[in-house]
Amino acid sequence: GGMLLGSAIGALTGLLIDSLAGTRRPPGAKAGTYIITYTISAGGGCAEYTTNATLIINSISAATINYVNAPFCTGSGSIQKVNLNGTPGGTFSSTQGLSIDANTGDINPSLSQPGKYKITYTIAPSLPCPGFTTSTNIMVNESPAISFNVTSQSVCSAMPVVFKPTSSVATTVYNWNVQGSLPANISGVTSGTTSDPNAVISLLFTNTGSTSEAITIVVTPVNPTGNSCSGNPYELTLTVYPVPSMLKADTTEFCMHSPSMALTTNADPGNTVKWYDAFNVPLNQAPVINTSNTARFNFYATQTNVFGCKSPVAKLVAIVNPVAKIVSSSYTNPTLCGVPSGSVSLQVVDLNDKSMPDIPVLVHYTKFQTAYSIAESTDALGKIIIPLTAGTYSDFYVETFGCLSQKIPGVF
C-alpha cells in the first residue's frame, strides 16, 4: 500500500519509475545516481514510514575515430592527432609497425614502418555495462631516402656529366634544380625530372668565362604512391671549368735544304700545347720539319689549361717548297728594236736534281745596273724562256714560292 518516489542526485529528473509497482524503466533513462524512496503513508494510528535505496545507471560506451590527414608519410615529423567523437578514456592499439600512443592515439609517422594499419579504440567493460571497440584503417607511405656514390664532380665546359642516385623506394621520382641563379658566364638547363630504377641525373653546362664556377644542384626525391611522399633533399656540387680558345690555324713554309725547324704556335699564358700527326696520333713534342724534299705536312694542335681542359683542334700545315738550281742558260738576240724579240732561256732543276715542270716562278735580273723581275713558269721540261728587248742582262736567278736559286754570272 506504499508509494515509491524517485529522486536523482545532481538531477531532478532522468529516471522513470512506476510509483505503485516500484519497477524502473531504464530505457531512455539518463545516466546518473538516483535515490529511490519508498513511503507508507500514516494511518490507523501509525506514523508515516519511509526507506531509501540508491540506484546507479551507467551510460553505454560509444565512439568513432578517424585521422583527417591520413595517409601519412614516414618523412613527416608532425604528430598526427586522432579525431575522437564519443566516449573518452579508452585505449588505442594497432598492428605492429605503427608508432602510436596508447592513451592519446597520437601517431608519429617518422617512427613508423610503411604499410597499412588497423587502429582499434577500446573501452573496457564497466559492470554491469559491456565494453566497446571501434576501428579505422590508415596508410603510412615511405618517404624515399636517397644517396649518391659521388656527390661532387668537376667537368670541362660543354661536357656531359651524370650523377647516379640510389633510393629506398624503387619507383622514386627525382626532381632536381639548380640552387639560385646560374653565374653570368654559365649556361645550361637548370631543372629536370627523371624516374626509372636505372635513372641518372644528366647535366651539361657551358662556361664561356676564364675561371671555374661551382654549381649546387638540389635533388628532391618523391614516392609517387598514394599521397606522393617527399624525402629529404640532397645537394650535389658540379664545378664547370672553362675551355681554352682554339689555336690559330696557320701554314708555315720552308725552303728545300733549309735547316730543319720545329713548328711553333702561340698558346695562351699558362696553357700547354699538345701536337698530333695527320692521323691524330699524339706526338711527344712539336714536329720538326725535314726539308730534304719538297713536301706538304698536316699537323693538329690543341692547348690545355691548368684545369686539364683542351681547346678545339687547330690544323697547322708545313710546306717544303722547291729551290730551283739553274743548270744551263742560253739566249737569242733580238731581231727588232724596242720589241721583246730576243730571249734568255734558263734550264732549272731542284736541289735534288729533280725536274721542275710547270711551276710558277719569278725571274730576277739586272739590265743596265737596274734590277727587274718578271713572272713566268717552267714548261713541261723545266725550262724558263724570258722574252727580252735589246740590252745588257746579268745576275739572273729564279725565285720559287719565296725560295731563291743561285745567281748565274753570265752576261747576255
Side-chain angles (χ1 to χ4, degrees), residues 283-321:
L283 303 175
N284 293 327
Q285 59 185 12
V288 177
I289 305 305
N290 185 337
T291 61
S292 298
N293 296 285
T294 58
R296 178 188 176 96
F297 302 100
N298 293 328
F299 297 97
Y300 300 92
T302 62
Q303 60 173 327
T304 302
N305 59 22
V306 294
F307 305 114
C309 298
K310 292 196 303 184
S311 70
V313 176
K315 184 178 181 179
L316 293 100
V317 178
I319 297 176
V320 180
N321 291 312

Side-chain angles (χ1 to χ4, degrees), residues 205-275:
F205 293 95
T206 300
N207 184 346
T208 57
S210 58
T211 59
S212 62
E213 297 286 355
I215 303 170
T216 299
I217 297 94
V218 180
V219 182
T220 303
V222 177
N223 179 356
T225 304
N227 54 330
S228 296
C229 294
S230 297
N232 292 327
Y234 203 106
E235 290 190 0
L236 305 171
T237 301
L238 178 64
T239 301
V240 184
Y241 296 136
V243 169
S245 59
M246 185 175 71
L247 294 167
K248 181 182 178 182
D250 199 6
T251 297
T252 304
E253 297 193 34
F254 299 84
C255 291
M256 192 177 182
H257 288 196
S258 64
S260 295
M261 294 180 60
L263 288 184
T264 61
T265 185
N266 295 320
D268 294 334
N271 292 351
T272 57
V273 175
K274 183 66 178 178
W275 290 91

